[in-house]
Amino acid sequence: AVFILVTSLAGLPAVSVPVQVGAHIYTGMQVVGQYGSDDSVLEFAQKVSGMTSEFAHEFRAGIPRASSI
């Protein structure tokens, strides 16, 4: 959130996106665009958010459960 403040003061569109990289494992990604590209930044952030939830589902499916080892 601190980094978003700097980009906002510079007049650049920015958004922080939660990213799921595994079962119960989350991190964040900051998307920053050129001045005036607000719609593109939001569209990209929405796509990334959807992709990471699909990736996390595939990631979980490939990990053997402790009960099956």
Side-chain angles (χ1 to χ4, degrees):
V2 175
F3 299 110
I4 293 289
L5 176 64
V6 174
T7 56
S8 292
L9 290 173
L12 301 175
V15 63
S16 292
V17 181
V19 177
Q20 185 176 7
V21 294
H24 308 290
I25 302 171
Y26 294 86
T27 188
M29 177 193 309
Q30 183 179 7
V31 180
V32 181
Q34 295 178 340
Y35 180 80
S37 64
D38 302 52
D39 291 339
S40 297
V41 169
L42 291 174
E43 182 181 338
F44 182 77
Q46 185 177 16
K47 287 181 181 180
V48 167
S49 180
M51 288 172 41
T52 57
S53 62
E54 290 174 19
F55 169 76
H57 177 71
E58 292 172 10
F59 181 78
R60 284 193 301 267
I63 296 177
R65 304 278 186 238
S67 60
S68 65
I69 295 177

